[in-house]
Amino acid sequence: MTGGDGGEQGIPWKRVALDRVAARGSGHTPNKKRATYWNGDIPWVSLKDASRLDRGLISATAESITHAGLANSSAVVHPAGSVVLLRDAGIGKVAVLGADMAVSQHFMAWHCGPRLNNWFLYYYLESMKAEFERISNGSTIKTIGVEYFRQLKVPLPAIEEQQLIARMLRDADGLIAALERMIAKKQAIKQGLMQQLLTGRMRLPGFTQAWSRRNLSELLRPRSEFNSLSENLTVLTCTKSMGFMRSLDYFKNQVFSRDLRGYRVIYRGDIGYPANHVEEGSIGVQELEDRALVSPIYVVMEPGSGVDSYFLQRMLKLDTYRQKFSRATNASVDRRGSLRWPEFSRIEVSVPHIEEQRRISCVLRDSELEIAKLERRLRVAQDVKRGMMQELLTGRKRLLVQGEDGE
């Protein structure tokens, strides 16, 4: 087999009704009030399994039903290898059954005949997700009616070409899954390091000096500079997961005022947080611009000489301090649910000497850089897969099956 534009390039693929090449079915929910219908040995795919979809095989389900539940409802068992599609409440998610399973009424299921490869159908349905969302209807829960699937047509290249296309896309998915596992592992390691290093439970070699307990007012100085000259500086926002970002990149439109005179100035290296969201972990170091702006709701602070900004803001994102922020917010005289500088400054923290702070920061930054590198590789792999799907599932790029070109 080789890839290329040859083979039967001039002959378009036939499109046939899916019902002609696969047996279509659906499912049902047995009576929830009958305990004898549930927790049996028949896996039952439901909305609770949405997170398991779009990952190829589904081999486990959140719930199972008994043979009595099957016999006393419209549920049926679909054979392993069937392709299932969620047609509402998460519309367009697909999976291939890894075992004989029943499904709820929220799913369509197809058992493919000899002319249609089940993994080819899986990827074709995955490529149609945007179309499924477009044609779905319903004011509360979008859904696709059965009539749509009765009329649904699919391309039908030779079964050998379907198998090759499916194999290439499964290989692409394998790479994506491997990268996702590596990222999850590295993130778990980083979280463990943070919990250990930022609390002093683990010490880096060469550091033995006891940590000191300080109020935040001893480590940070509030910055109260406003954009009084209405300078055209970049407006930033602080997010839970990404720290400071340019507001236009985050919100995708200009959600801030045209008159920026009331906005606060934040310098590179400053720590800042939105006063109404800090307990969620929205606190960060501004590392994007020499000078930028944030909304007036923000508290902006300049670190003192004995503070490493990165260390301190990472420490303040730990659950221990987020809980302290929540308690301080509730005790605040500001009834709008905001944590202002007076209450924030009184919170007590435990910090090491500045040199140990910097070393800890280096360790955590190295970990984050490693994760960022893997995330870039993941995005490339996902882009490559999308490109392959656009080319291979439409017939724009054909795969030469051995013997197809006359050899």
Side-chain angles (χ1 to χ4, degrees):
M1 179 273 293
T2 59
D5 298 320
E8 302 178 58
Q9 182 66 21
I11 303 174
W13 286 344
K14 247 189 328 186
R15 294 182 66 82
V16 302
L18 179 53
D19 278 3
R20 285 182 54 192
V21 289
R24 174 172 47 82
S26 185
H28 193 254
T29 301
N31 191 336
K32 287 280 190 179
K33 296 179 180 178
R34 301 293 296 269
T36 56
Y37 293 174
W38 295 92
N39 300 314
D41 56 3
I42 302 172
W44 182 70
V45 187
S46 68
L47 293 178
K48 291 182 179 180
D49 299 303
S51 63
R52 293 182 167 100
L53 306 177
D54 283 348
R55 294 179 176 274
L57 279 177
I58 179 169
S59 301
T61 58
E63 297 182 282
S64 60
I65 61 175
T66 64
H67 289 277
L70 188 71
N72 290 280
S73 71
S74 298
V76 296
V77 173
H78 300 284
S82 297
V83 181
V84 296
L85 173 91
L86 184 53
R87 63 192 184 100
D88 55 31
I91 198 159
K93 286 178 172 284
V94 289
V96 174
L97 299 185
D100 295 351
M101 296 182 178
V103 300
S104 76
Q105 65 273 21
H106 302 285
F107 289 83
M108 301 301 299
W110 292 273
H111 178 53
C112 296
R115 297 171 63 197
L116 181 63
N117 178 270
N118 61 339
W119 284 101
F120 178 84
L121 176 61
Y122 167 86
Y123 285 112
Y124 183 72
L125 293 174
E126 183 184 329
S127 74
M128 290 189 65
K129 187 171 292 186
E131 174 66 8
F132 291 145
E133 290 174 350
R134 187 188 69 80
I135 58 92
S136 64
N137 55 67
S139 57
T140 305
I141 299 178
K142 293 185 175 183
T143 188
I144 300 178
V146 174
E147 186 58 34
Y148 174 86
F149 295 108
R150 289 197 184 103
Q151 300 178 30
L152 179 62
K153 292 187 175 184
V154 295
L156 201 69
I159 190 69
E160 295 83 2
E161 189 170 5
Q162 294 180 43
Q163 291 166 345
L164 290 173
I165 290 169
R167 190 180 308 157
M168 291 184 71
L169 291 174
R170 289 193 75 183
D171 286 346
D173 268 344
L175 174 60
I176 289 169
L179 288 168
E180 288 174 336
R181 286 193 297 271
M182 288 173 66
I183 290 168
K185 183 178 179 181
K186 296 289 185 184
Q187 286 175 332
I189 291 171
K190 189 196 90 170
Q191 287 301 317
L193 279 173
M194 288 176 64
Q195 288 294 334
Q196 295 295 313
L197 293 175
L198 295 172
T199 58
R201 293 179 203 151
M202 178 193 294
R203 303 296 294 273
L204 294 175
F207 294 101
T208 57
Q209 184 178 341
W211 289 25
S212 59
R213 299 193 67 79
R214 317 276 285 278
N215 284 345
L216 285 171
S217 60
E218 300 175 65
L219 305 173
L220 300 165
R221 293 186 294 272
R223 192 186 291 279
S224 301
E225 182 179 342
F226 291 90
N227 188 27
S228 57
L229 300 178
S230 194
E231 292 182 81
N232 190 24
L233 299 174
T234 303
V235 177
L236 306 179
T237 190
C238 189
T239 69
K240 218 171 16 177
S241 57
M242 302 294 292
F244 275 103
M245 295 179 62
R246 293 173 178 86
S247 290
L248 285 177
D249 292 338
Y250 183 71
F251 292 107
K252 307 302 181 186
N253 55 18
Q254 188 164 325
V255 296
F256 41 87
S257 168
R258 291 178 180 273
D259 184 358
L260 302 177
R261 282 176 296 183
Y263 278 59
R264 292 183 181 274
V265 176
I266 183 167
Y267 286 77
R268 189 186 299 275
D270 282 354
I271 295 176
Y273 66 86
N276 55 345
H277 289 300
V278 65
E279 74 281 359
E280 299 174 4
S282 299
I283 185 168
V285 179
Q286 199 281 95
E287 300 179 293
L288 297 173
E289 306 277 346
D290 290 336
R291 293 173 75 238
L293 300 178
V294 290
S295 160
I297 193 67
Y298 276 70
V299 174
V300 177
M301 298 158 291
E302 178 187 3
S305 58
V307 179
D308 179 83
S309 298
Y310 181 91
F311 171 88
L312 187 61
Q313 68 95 17
R314 277 290 180 267
M315 188 183 74
L316 294 177
K317 289 171 79 73
L318 294 176
D319 285 344
T320 302
Y321 290 102
R322 289 169 58 181
Q323 290 167 14
K324 287 187 177 184
F325 297 156
S326 183
R327 288 194 295 270
T329 300
N330 293 335
S332 170
V333 295
D334 185 342
R335 299 305 179 191
R336 293 171 295 177
S338 297
L339 182 61
R340 304 288 179 170
W341 169 253
E343 291 77 27
F344 183 86
S345 67
R346 289 194 290 269
I347 291 173
E348 190 178 66
V349 298
S350 183
V351 293
H353 187 271
I354 182 65
E355 289 305 320
E356 188 173 359
Q357 292 181 41
R358 288 170 179 159
R359 282 282 299 280
I360 291 171
S361 291
C362 285
V363 171
L364 296 179
R365 279 183 184 274
D366 287 346
S367 177
E368 290 185 348
L369 286 172
E370 195 174 358
I371 292 170
K373 200 176 296 183
L374 286 171
E375 288 174 336
R376 286 194 295 272
R377 285 181 58 192
L378 175 61
R379 287 193 293 271
V380 170
Q382 290 169 332
D383 288 343
V384 167
K385 181 197 167 186
R386 276 191 289 269
M388 289 171 65
M389 290 176 71
Q390 290 168 2
E391 296 291 315
L392 295 176
L393 295 172
T394 60
R396 288 203 294 264
K397 189 87 164 174
R398 300 295 298 274
L399 300 178
L400 295 180
V401 181
Q402 189 171 359
E404 187 180 74
D405 56 357
E407 293 180 2

